[in-house]
Amino acid sequence: MSDHAHSAERPCLSRRAFLLSGGTGVTIVALGGWSKAFGQGAALKVASYPRRKIGRVSQLKVDQPVSFQYPWKDFHSTNMLVGLGVPAGGGVGPQQDIVAFSTLCTHMGGPLAGQYRGQHKVLGPCPFHLTTFDLTKHGMVVSGQATESLPQIVLETRGDEIWATGVMGLIYGYHNNLAAKA
C-alpha cells in the first residue's frame, strides 16, 4: 500500500506527509490554537517604570562612566551611564552613543563597577567568573560564564537632560524589577 493510501485512512499526518507538506498545515493549526488558548482580546501587561532624571548630555565625557541607582535606591539597582563615543544599540543623544547598564553581572551578581574598558567598549571582566559584556550591542555576553545580556536601562533625552524610563532584562537579585526589595 502506498503512503498516499495510508494517509487517506489516517486521521493524523504521517511523518512523511508532514515533511513533504513542509509542516504548513500543522503550523496554521498551532497558531490558531494560541488565540483560543489565550482568548480573543488577551492584553499584554506593560510594566510601568518610574521616570527619573539621571544626568545631562553636556556633562558626560566619553568613556567616563557615571554611577546612578534605578529603578530603586538600593545596591541591586546600581547602574552606570556612559558616553561611548560610538553609536550603540539603545543609545541616545546626538551620536546615539549614550547608554546605561546594571553594574551587577547576570551570572552571580558579581560587581562590575570600575570594570569599564573604554578602548573596547566593554564592561568586565566580572571578578567572579570573568564574564565581559559588549556595551555597543545591548550588553551581550562577549566571554565568560553568564548566559544573559547585561540589563540595559532604557534612556530618553529631553534637550540636555537624560532620563531613565525602563529596564530591558532582569536585574540580578530581583524576581521582578519593579518589586521593591524588603
Side-chain angles (χ1 to χ4, degrees):
M1 202 181 263
S2 74
D3 280 332
H4 294 293
H6 271 286
S7 62
E9 297 170 10
R10 294 182 183 182
C12 296
L13 286 174
S14 69
R15 243 180 305 184
R16 181 180 179 151
F18 172 78
L19 292 172
L20 290 174
S21 73
T24 54
V26 174
T27 304
I28 292 168
V29 170
L31 291 176
W34 282 109
S35 64
K36 290 178 185 171
F38 292 113
Q40 296 261 337
L44 293 175
K45 183 177 179 184
V46 178
S48 180
Y49 282 86
R51 301 173 70 78
R52 184 171 303 133
K53 182 179 159 191
I54 59 169
R56 294 190 169 279
V57 173
S58 62
Q59 293 176 342
L60 279 181
K61 293 182 175 46
V62 172
D63 291 332
Q64 293 184 12
V66 175
S67 182
F68 69 98
Q69 291 181 316
Y70 182 84
W72 306 103
K73 297 224 182 244
D74 66 6
F75 172 76
H76 291 281
S77 296
T78 303
N79 308 287
M80 65 170 243
L81 175 69
V82 65
L84 299 174
V86 297
V92 298
Q95 296 177 15
Q96 303 293 296
D97 69 329
I98 300 169
V99 292
F101 290 91
S102 170
T103 56
L104 294 179
C105 181
T106 56
H107 179 232
M108 292 183 69
L112 294 168
Q115 298 295 323
Y116 175 66
R117 309 284 184 242
Q119 68 274 25
H120 301 294
K121 311 304 180 201
V122 298
L123 190 56
C126 173
F128 290 178
H129 298 100
L130 306 177
T131 300
T132 301
F133 301 90
D134 185 340
L135 302 188
T136 65
K137 295 185 168 106
H138 295 285
M140 78 177 210
V141 176
V142 174
S143 64
Q145 298 296 313
T147 58
E148 309 245 347
S149 294
L150 205 54
Q152 184 169 12
I153 309 304
V154 179
L155 302 176
E156 282 181 10
T157 53
R158 293 185 196 160
D160 191 45
E161 299 176 338
I162 304 168
W163 290 76
T165 62
V167 180
M168 289 189 299
L170 184 62
I171 299 168
Y172 186 85
Y174 287 99
H175 69 278
N176 173 342
N177 291 341
L178 294 176
K181 296 292 246 183

